[in-house]
Amino acid sequence: MSAGVDIVVLLVAAIFALGVGAQLLAARLRLPSIIFYILAGLLIGPVWELIPSQVFGLALPGRPFSLSTFGPDPLAAIVELAVAIIVFEGAYHLRIDRLREAPAATLRLVTVGAGIALVGTAIAAKLAFPIGWPLAFLIGALLVATGPTVITPILEVVPVRDRVAAVLETEGIVNDVTAAITAVVVFEVVLLGGASTEEFITAFATRLGEGLLVGIIVAAVVFYLLRYVDLSPGDAPRNARLLVLAGAIFAFAGANYLASEAGVAAAATAGILLGNTDHPYEEEIAAFKGDVTLLVLSFVFIVLAGILRVDTLIEVGLPGLLVVVAVAGVIRPALVFLSTIGGRFTFEERAFMSFVGPRGIIPASVATLFALQLQSPSVGMGTEADILIGTVFLVILVTAAVEGGLARYVAQRLDVIPMRVIIVGGGRVGRALATRLEERGENVVIVEGDESMVETVRNAGYTVVSGDGTDMDVLRDAGAENAKTIVAATSDDDINLLVAQLADAHFDAEDVIARVNDPDNVQPFEDLGVQTISASMATAWAIDNQIERPAIANWMTDASQFGDVQEVEVTNEDLFGRPLREVGPELPKFCLIALVSRDGETIVPDADYTIEPGDKVTLLGRSDAVREGMDFCQA
């Protein structure tokens, strides 16, 4: 094997190692991983160029790698393959039913909002640089895309309400597709070809249509094979994972063969369709795709950041920073506030969405591919290529670092993170409770001291803090200082009593509740002022409800599918002083006020009952309607 091949293999291994290290560091610091991917790429790329060839008499090697390390064509192939997997994985996790959280705002954000981002960014680029409108609109088209690669990691560490997350995730998926196709059409048809507006629209529609068609066909074939074909018993889960991965790559490659960048639309379409169908091995496929995506995402981001040249970033300099300010500080807030007019979003939620708009893999990868073509001797647009890639990467670097790094702080300042519920004890009871609470939109953290149980809880997808629940520092690390509810749910009554007493004495939670396993301990718990749930009594109540009240028992037991009951304090000042006969029709359909609590007394209100400050209302109805009703009462 030649020395050149050995070096490339060593670099690839080093990049994967850096990617895994960046992911671990991001998880530890609860920051988006893209920040560390880019930092790793910059360190082994442009930053390395700044290091002297000798330090303290020790000779250092030259820049570890550059574009010539892989070559433009192999690099383009690697990037496109990675984009196929990344876009498919992001789309696979996008649930169509979540779009009901804010359908109007989502539609406006990916249409009107995207248009504002395109035109606004193009104007900013034209004013900042001495370039023509075609290149300005190319920069604008690329920077429309936010993308799941940067939004999802932020939402993992900033658990905002479902309606906010749904809008941001959907915007990322849709804009990845439209931005990539728009950018390619602008590049090939307008910048290089000088075509008319009519030709631009035709080229865009053709690519989008071909991508949608290929994605639908591939999704249908893969679904049929998963659902109706024997994939070899024993090896079926593995074969299903490989089949879906092959389908994602084929959809992308097949559509790209028909028209460049139609593959993005195909991969996204196939991902959304498969992710929203009932097919076997869904959990195994999702986990496998997530792991593969992390590897290719880290590799591509590190490589793309690594091939940047210092002089390219210096060349864009102050004009590039002005574009960053315009994109993040002016255009993003404008398009978000315009797109969410008249919706259910609070001012604070709209401000948070305005802040969170980092750019991701699509602008980085497509800009790199464009720059490679512009720098070729046949085109001879090296200056334009430097402005393009320098500006795009500067926006990515700044928005990813600033918005990703500060997102949690900004969310806390704006108070858009739902108050958390802490459950001490990750056993069956704790996990079952966490599941029900998370389905209702609560931000749940489980505290568990047993390492094997910590692994079980974490693998089940819950947020878990490892440690002794009777330790004040552990409870504080779990967020007890801003918890709404603290539940002691272990199988040991002594531990539950101590946790409840510590929480009640040192933290300002609204409710502190303890599970009591031995019925003889109920009275001692209550004598100490601890709210208790007796395991034996709870079981008896459940059986009695099933016998005497089967309809309401089934309704409550399967709340995620049928209905929900929630109590919430009314803080919407528009409701104060008004009778229920006026308030009722304003509630969402399939939601009603069943009970009202005031000054410790709970009643079934009549139509003339007047809502007053401090009232707590119990909402009964369909799950999604109850959630909307809670937002309405607290607006």
Side-chain angles (χ1 to χ4, degrees):
M1 188 175 294
S2 68
V5 173
D6 288 337
I7 291 173
V8 172
V9 172
L10 178 62
L11 283 173
V12 170
I15 290 169
F16 276 125
L18 285 170
V20 173
Q23 177 62 30
L24 294 176
L25 187 60
R28 177 67 178 172
L29 299 178
R30 295 181 66 80
L31 292 172
S33 53
I34 183 178
I35 298 174
F36 300 99
Y37 296 153
I38 294 176
L39 287 177
L42 293 176
L43 286 174
I44 63 175
V47 172
W48 195 277
E49 287 184 308
L50 304 177
I51 301 175
S53 58
Q54 285 194 345
V55 178
F56 300 115
L58 177 65
L60 296 179
R63 177 173 173 145
F65 76 92
S66 61
L67 178 59
S68 60
T69 305
F70 297 102
D73 291 337
L75 178 62
I78 293 171
V79 170
E80 290 202 350
L81 180 64
V83 168
I85 297 172
I86 292 166
V87 171
F88 180 89
E89 199 267 343
Y92 187 83
H93 287 91
L94 181 64
R95 294 293 177 261
I96 292 177
D97 57 359
R98 292 195 67 186
L99 300 184
R100 300 193 190 102
E101 295 287 342
T106 302
L107 180 61
R108 288 195 296 266
L109 204 58
V110 300
T111 52
V112 176
I116 294 172
L118 170 63
V119 175
T121 307
I123 293 173
K126 182 69 171 65
L127 294 176
F129 296 102
I131 58 176
W133 282 111
L135 181 59
F137 270 99
L138 179 60
I139 294 172
L142 286 170
L143 293 177
V144 167
T146 51
T149 58
V150 282
I151 294 298
T152 301
I154 290 176
L155 296 179
E156 287 176 352
V157 298
V158 187
V160 292
R161 288 183 176 85
D162 280 354
R163 60 172 179 259
V164 177
V167 168
L168 291 175
E169 288 173 343
T170 307
E171 179 197 19
I173 293 292
V174 175
N175 283 356
D176 259 4
V177 174
T178 55
I181 295 176
T182 303
V184 169
V185 173
V186 171
F187 180 74
E188 295 184 353
V189 178
V190 179
L191 184 63
L192 300 184
S196 64
T197 303
E198 183 180 348
E199 290 172 314
F200 168 83
I201 295 174
T202 301
F204 178 87
T206 300
R207 282 172 167 80
L208 181 60
E210 290 175 346
L212 292 174
L213 179 61
V214 171
I216 292 170
I217 294 173
V218 170
V221 171
V222 172
F223 174 77
Y224 178 82
L225 294 175
L226 289 172
R227 190 77 176 171
Y228 301 107
V229 175
D230 184 0
L231 297 177
S232 179
D235 292 330
R238 182 193 64 190
N239 293 338
R241 295 193 297 265
L242 295 176
L243 174 63
V244 173
L245 178 62
I249 295 173
F250 182 80
F252 184 89
N256 264 7
Y257 179 78
L258 297 176
S260 59
E261 294 309 316
V264 177
T269 301
I272 290 174
L273 292 177
L274 285 173
N276 286 276
T277 55
D278 182 19
H279 58 76
Y281 317 113
E282 185 173 352
E283 292 184 3
E284 292 93 337
I285 291 169
F288 173 70
K289 291 285 296 173
D291 292 340
V292 172
T293 299
L294 279 178
L295 285 176
V296 298
L297 179 64
S298 62
F299 182 86
V300 171
F301 260 121
I302 291 173
V303 169
L304 293 181
I307 65 174
L308 278 175
R309 301 194 316 273
V310 174
D311 55 350
T312 298
L313 292 175
I314 294 175
E315 184 175 338
V316 297
L318 181 59
L321 289 176
L322 292 176
V323 174
V324 174
V325 171
V327 168
V330 179
I331 299 169
R332 177 68 184 176
L335 70 88
V336 168
F337 273 88
L338 286 173
S339 299
T340 53
I341 288 176
R344 295 185 294 113
F345 297 97
T346 65
F347 175 84
E348 290 78 11
E349 288 171 339
R350 297 166 78 188
F352 176 76
M353 290 190 288
S354 298
F355 179 78
V356 177
R359 272 51 180 180
I361 189 66
I362 290 296
S365 58
V366 178
T368 301
L369 299 179
F370 289 165
L372 295 176
Q373 295 184 54
L374 292 174
Q375 290 169 345
S376 65
S378 60
V379 178
M381 299 176 67
T383 302
E384 288 81 355
D386 288 342
I387 292 175
L388 170 66
I389 198 167
T391 303
V392 169
F393 264 88
L394 193 60
V395 172
I396 293 171
L397 292 173
V398 175
T399 57
V402 174
E403 296 175 11
L406 297 179
R408 188 172 187 83
Y409 173 78
V410 171
Q412 289 172 339
R413 293 290 294 177
L414 294 172
D415 195 25
V416 296
I417 301 178
M419 292 183 70
R420 66 182 57 201
V421 176
I422 296 176
I423 301 174
V424 179
R428 290 188 178 90
V429 173
R431 296 199 302 274
L433 176 60
T435 298
R436 293 183 64 81
L437 292 173
E438 286 191 342
E439 286 174 350
R440 295 173 183 173
E442 297 286 357
N443 177 20
V444 180
V445 178
I446 295 178
V447 176
E448 176 58 55
D450 185 284
E451 286 300 325
S452 61
M453 185 62 71
V454 167
E455 202 63 30
T456 299
V457 175
R458 185 172 288 130
N459 290 338
Y462 301 104
T463 300
V464 59
V465 171
S466 177
D468 184 354
T470 62
D471 188 318
M472 290 284 295
D473 291 333
V474 173
L475 289 176
R476 192 172 284 109
D477 289 342
E481 291 177 331
N482 67 340
K484 178 176 68 175
T485 303
I486 299 177
V487 180
T490 75
S491 58
D492 188 316
D493 283 353
D494 291 334
I495 292 177
N496 291 343
L497 178 59
L498 183 54
V499 169
Q501 288 181 311
L502 285 173
D504 186 58
H506 297 281
F507 301 107
D508 191 27
E510 293 180 16
D511 295 296
V512 178
I513 303 170
R515 167 189 173 189
V516 180
N517 302 280
D518 186 345
D520 293 335
N521 290 334
V522 171
Q523 191 60 46
F525 270 68
E526 293 182 346
D527 289 343
L528 292 170
V530 176
Q531 294 187 62
T532 62
I533 298 295
S534 169
S536 56
M537 288 300 298
T539 303
W541 292 335
I543 295 173
D544 181 52
N545 284 335
Q546 195 65 49
I547 295 171
E548 299 294 337
R549 295 163 287 275
I552 193 68
N554 292 333
W555 178 280
M556 289 294 298
T557 303
D558 209 352
S560 63
Q561 293 184 27
F562 299 105
D564 197 5
V565 179
Q566 289 288 326
E567 181 178 301
V568 61
E569 182 176 348
V570 179
T571 57
N572 186 348
E573 296 181 358
D574 293 339
L575 304 183
F576 296 156
R578 298 174 60 192
L580 288 185
R581 67 172 70 255
E582 293 182 9
V583 174
E586 297 179 10
L587 287 169
K589 190 177 181 181
F590 306 117
C591 174
L592 57 86
I593 295 176
L595 300 171
V596 178
S597 297
R598 178 185 294 173
D599 299 328
E601 182 182 358
T602 301
I603 65 169
V604 178
D606 59 18
D608 294 321
Y609 188 92
T610 301
I611 299 293
E612 300 295 343
D615 283 356
K616 292 183 178 181
V617 297
T618 299
L619 301 175
L620 172 68
R622 205 168 65 183
S623 297
D624 55 348
V626 168
R627 263 194 221 114
E628 291 182 21
M630 293 173 67
D631 294 335
F632 172 72
C633 291
Q634 295 182 309

